[in-house]
Each structure stands twice: as structure tokens, then as C-alpha cells.
Amino acid sequence: MLNTDKIAELRAAPVPPTLHLIDGQARAASDAGTLSVISPLDGRELTTMARGTASDAEAAISAARAAFDDGRWSGLAPNARKKILLKWADLIEAHALELAVLGVRNNGTEIGMALRAEPLSAAATIRYYAEAIDKIYGEIAPTAPGTLGLVHREPVGVVGVIVPWNFPLMIGAWKLGPALAAGNTVVLKPAETASLTLRRIADLALEAGMPAGVFNVVLGEGAVVGEAISLSMAVDVIVFTGSGPVGRKLMENAAKSNLKRVYLELGGKSPNIVFADAPDLDEAVKVSANGIFRNSGQVCIAGSRLLVQRDIHDAFVEKLQAFTEKMIVGDPLDPATQAGAINSARQLEQNLSFVEQARSAGRQVIGGRRLLEETGGYFMQPTIVTGVEASDPLAQREVFGPVLAVIPFDTEAEAIAIANGTDYGLAAAVWTRDLSRAHRMIAAIRAGVVHVNTYGGADLSVPLGGVKQSGNGHDKSLHAFDKYLDLKTAWIKL
């Protein structure tokens, strides 16, 4: 699907000003305000988008509330919703390259990854939940004769969805798929720096036959639009992927308003632990490098802390450096590129500041420079920092960029202590040929996902969620429905 001529054609295509989608209609901001959409490929304006107001958010919420209350979506037979969602998935797949190129121009992910991880992943996710709609049953309780106890599963109502800029379609679909399949209506707020593809698939949802008002998109700033959604008395659930401070603000706003349920997938500082008895050190090097440097490190579960047993530390870092130096960083619309652009100038500046802080503390830095500055784009050299202490800021704080902190360890107990020694608990990995050790590490590491002899790649069949300050609730798998369905008991005397 990576036809270079077609990619060039799509790259050159003008992007029209992007408007909200509210109650099935494209709308400008209520005050006609706009935001510039800056492409990380060249630092230039790609297009403009509506700068949403609180009034815009309220209009979308009202549309979603009306659409839920009148049953135009929740009242459909499950099989009818299923047909629409499957058609929507087909349309997303049919427009996959268009969506992938638009997304790359908007957020900088390399095109090979963008195609798989964005439109194709989103289509697969929507299909997964569409197919599950008519396979979720209620329950009959074990009661005494003369009594019937039923447990119904019902949609919660209006769901506010707030998603980040790194993989907007993939992460968006993790939330939109089960929320809509369950019969809820949605108000989506995309990230300011990656709104275009999510807005585009909303048009495809209408084309697939989704009723107006069921899926609404309000563009703009989180401090305005996200604030209005989280404070609304008419929103029943908020689902969010993003930073810890914003997650806390959403919980505060839920408490100030209607105590809406809030499900959060927040930051990570995931440990990738390589023991000397790893079955294939060359494979561990390759997977570890890709686990932090693909998409320029802008991945929630990125293995940003590499813990290497001291016996192999120097040799492993040498191999890692050699592999990393061969990675192609550059134009993300070139299929040969392995690491694309940083999402924004602000994010690039933050990444470089972490590197300078580590360098000032006497840590050894390999890489760590801005690249291709002459293009105007936001590119950064993959960076390996060695000699990192477990208490260093680089080992404690989420960078969300191509910066790897390497920490040596001696014993299994020490590796566990370092792995658990942050506020986060999203993902982890263990490389060992010792089956008993692998199971001990799985039990001991506090994380929502623990990989063994790999990093990443878990599919939709298993849940993704964090512990500690990495959040609550789960995306992916059938467990995701739990966020979007209420249980109702019917107790009947016969």
C-alpha cells in the first residue's frame, strides 16, 4: 500500500479548514475562532481548524444527549449497530493511505508505522467491537423458587472521549469502538496537534449510516473544550489518555459536577530488563531500540528505562549504539524512514532539555541532537544516556521522546526494586531464558502489561491499563466494555 507516487500526491494535496462535527453538521466555532495546524515535517501551517468554545462543547453534548435519550442508536437492535460499525471500518480501510498520509503530515509518525498503527489498526478495532455486540449477554441469578433475578447490561449514556496526539486513530478507536458498540453516544475531543484524521473518520461514520448526534467531534484546546466536557452535568463517563496533571484535573472536575466516572490511561516510565541469560541478545538489542525509538519515542508504553545486568552491560550498550546509529531518521513520508518527526516544537524543546540536564549531571550521552533543522521540521537524533542512577530525573519522569536511560543492575532483587521505583506502572519487559525467573518477575513487577522476551505487540485480545499513577480502567479486549455498560438488577417475585 506504500505507493510512493500516491504518497507524493497526497502530500501535496491542500487540507481545507477543519470544522467541528456537531449533530451531523460541520460547524465553525461559535465565535469564529481558529487555530493554526502546524506540520512537524516543516514547521509550516498545514491548515486551520475551529477553535472550540465552551458553547461548542455544550452544543455537542446536547446533541449526544438527545441522540442517546431518543434511542436512535441505543434503541437499535445490536445487529443493526453492528452492520453500521462494520461498514464504517470498511470505509476507514478503503481510505487507509489517505488517512495515514494526513496523519503523518499532522503528527509526524513514520508512514510505515502510521499506516499499520493508525487507520488499519482503527478499522480492525472497530470490527472487533462490532462483532462482539451480539455476544454480550445478561445474567440470570441463582435464586430461590418463586423469584427471578436478572442482571441487565445497559449503555451508560454520553461518553466524553479525550485522546492524545501520538496515535490518535489507534487510541481513539480503542475508546470509540466499545463505547459506540455498547450503544452510547460520544463527544470526542482530539489533541490540538493531531485532530485531522479523527475528524475525517467522523465523516466516514456518517457515510456508513451512523445517525446524526451519535458521534460528535469538537476541536480546540483542552483547557476550554476538555474543561467543558469534564464539567458537564450531561456527560456520564470520561475516558482519557494523556498526562497525569490533566488526568487529575478531569477527576477534580468530575467531583465538582455530577461524579461522572473517569477512566485514565496516563504516563509511563516502563522498565525493559535484560538479564545476562537472555535467549538472544541481538534480538533484544533490536526490539529494545524499536521499543523506544520508533515514532521517535512518542509511545505510551515505550521502554524508556533499559535495565541491563552488569555482566553484559557494556557489550549490550555497544551493540545498541551500533544498531541505533543505523536507524534512518528523516522525512516520515519516505517509506525508508524508521523514525519520523517530533510532534511539536514544544515537545522537541522538552526532549532536548532532558538530554541537557543529564549531560550536566555528568551522564554519558550518545546522540541527543536536533536533526534536519534546515527543513524547519522537528527531528531528533535517537539518544542513549548511560550511567543513569535510578533516582535521576531521566529515570523518574516521562520524556515522551527518543531518549533512553540505561541503568545497570546486579541481581534479580535489585532489578525488581529499580523497576518498581517510579510513580508509574504501565508496561515492562523481561528478557531471560529462565522460565521460573520470568514468572517471578511477572508477579513482582507492578505494571499493567509485562512482556517476556519481546516488547510491544500485544493485540486486541488482551487488556491495556496501568497501575499506580499510570491510570485505571482498561482499553482493548472485551474488558473495555466494562467502562461503557451499567449493570441493572431486576428482582422479580413470580
Side-chain angles (χ1 to χ4, degrees):
M1 296 182 73
L2 291 178
N3 181 308
T4 53
D5 291 337
K6 186 63 175 177
I7 290 171
E9 178 187 334
L10 291 166
R11 179 207 289 266
V15 181
T18 304
L19 306 178
H20 307 311
L21 182 70
I22 299 175
D23 205 13
Q25 300 294 319
R27 296 191 194 178
S30 58
D31 63 0
T34 62
L35 290 170
S36 289
V37 177
I38 304 299
S39 174
L41 279 63
D42 56 15
R44 298 177 183 173
E45 184 177 272
L46 178 60
T47 185
T48 62
M49 68 179 187
R51 184 176 189 172
T53 65
S55 295
D56 296 330
E58 290 162 7
I61 293 165
S62 294
R65 185 82 257 166
F68 181 77
D69 289 347
D70 67 21
R72 73 186 73 166
W73 184 246
S74 61
L76 290 180
N79 196 50
R81 291 202 303 274
K82 175 179 178 177
K83 287 180 180 178
I84 292 171
L85 290 174
L86 289 175
K87 185 175 181 181
W88 185 30
D90 289 344
L91 287 170
I92 292 172
E93 188 168 292
H95 291 269
L97 188 58
E98 169 205 331
L99 287 162
V101 172
L102 179 62
V104 171
R105 296 171 76 189
N106 198 183
N107 80 338
T109 300
E110 56 272 15
I111 186 65
M113 173 173 278
L115 183 63
R116 296 190 308 274
E118 285 285 88
L120 295 181
S121 170
T125 297
I126 291 163
R127 284 196 188 99
Y128 178 92
Y129 289 107
E131 292 289 357
I133 289 175
D134 52 6
K135 301 169 184 69
I136 297 175
Y137 290 80
E139 300 168 19
I140 300 176
T143 58
T147 302
L148 178 62
L150 303 176
V151 181
H152 295 269
R153 286 181 169 86
E154 298 183 341
V156 295
V158 177
V159 178
V161 176
I162 304 175
V163 297
W165 45 259
N166 56 330
F167 289 109
L169 287 184
M170 179 175 72
I171 296 172
W174 289 348
K175 303 175 193 305
L176 295 171
L180 291 167
N184 301 287
T185 57
V186 166
V187 177
L188 169 69
K189 192 277 178 200
E192 296 95 309
T193 56
S195 296
L196 303 184
T197 54
L198 282 166
R199 177 59 184 86
R200 176 73 180 103
I201 68 165
D203 285 336
L204 296 178
L206 289 176
E207 187 178 334
M210 193 173 292
V214 171
F215 180 21
N216 306 273
V217 182
V218 185
L219 309 169
E221 297 156 316
V224 178
V225 178
E227 181 87 350
I229 293 171
S230 60
L231 284 169
S232 172
M233 299 294 288
V235 173
D236 300 291
V237 168
I238 291 275
V239 288
F240 170 75
T241 296
S243 72
V246 175
R248 286 178 171 81
K249 182 65 173 174
L250 294 174
M251 295 186 80
E252 291 173 6
N253 287 350
K256 289 177 182 177
S257 53
N258 60 343
L259 291 176
K260 59 180 67 65
R261 300 202 296 265
V262 179
Y263 298 103
L264 307 171
E265 196 257 276
L266 306 175
K269 196 67 187 175
S270 299
N272 182 21
I273 306 165
V274 183
F275 285 93
D277 70 344
D280 185 338
L281 289 177
D282 289 332
E283 176 71 5
V285 164
K286 180 181 76 172
V287 173
S288 297
N290 288 330
I292 178 62
F293 297 133
R294 296 307 295 267
N295 198 27
S296 297
Q298 299 167 135
V299 180
C300 298
I301 67 165
S304 55
R305 287 186 297 155
L306 178 63
L307 282 57
V308 186
Q309 199 158 29
R310 202 175 301 274
D311 294 351
I312 61 167
H313 176 275
D314 292 350
F316 194 88
V317 171
E318 185 177 335
K319 286 175 177 283
L320 183 68
Q321 179 180 354
F323 183 90
T324 301
E325 287 174 347
K326 294 177 183 177
M327 293 187 74
I328 301 170
V329 181
D331 178 7
L333 287 172
D334 181 344
T337 294
Q338 295 171 293
I342 305 300
N343 173 258
S344 66
R346 178 181 177 184
Q347 187 64 40
L348 175 60
E349 182 181 347
Q350 176 179 298
N351 296 347
L352 293 171
S353 71
F354 270 102
V355 174
E356 286 310 308
Q357 186 178 24
R359 187 178 278 119
S360 298
R363 309 307 180 218
Q364 182 181 352
V365 177
I366 302 167
R369 296 182 292 107
R370 182 175 181 179
L371 297 177
L372 304 171
E373 190 167 358
E374 69 278 4
T375 67
Y378 313 133
F379 299 92
M380 183 175 172
Q381 192 176 23
T383 307
I384 302 169
V385 183
T386 61
V388 175
E389 299 286 343
S391 59
D392 284 359
L394 191 60
Q396 292 291 319
R397 294 173 57 195
E398 185 177 43
V399 179
F400 220 66
V403 183
L404 177 63
V406 184
I407 306 170
F409 71 91
D410 291 297
T411 66
E412 185 177 314
E414 184 184 4
I416 292 168
I418 295 171
N420 289 336
T422 73
D423 291 333
Y424 299 109
L426 188 56
V430 178
W431 296 81
T432 179
R433 67 173 69 247
D434 184 331
L435 182 62
S436 295
R437 169 181 281 158
H439 282 289
R440 289 195 300 270
M441 297 296 286
I442 291 168
I445 294 172
R446 297 195 65 199
V449 178
V450 181
H451 308 86
V452 177
N453 295 332
T454 189
Y455 201 99
D459 64 20
L460 276 171
S461 64
V462 292
L464 171 65
V467 298
K468 299 194 287 186
Q469 293 184 35
S470 286
N472 56 45
H474 294 88
D475 287 324
K476 301 170 58 179
S477 82
L478 295 179
H479 293 285
F481 277 115
D482 295 344
K483 302 196 294 281
Y484 307 110
L485 290 167
D486 277 332
L487 300 180
K488 178 187 285 184
T489 294
W491 191 258
I492 305 165
K493 184 171 178 60
L494 301 177

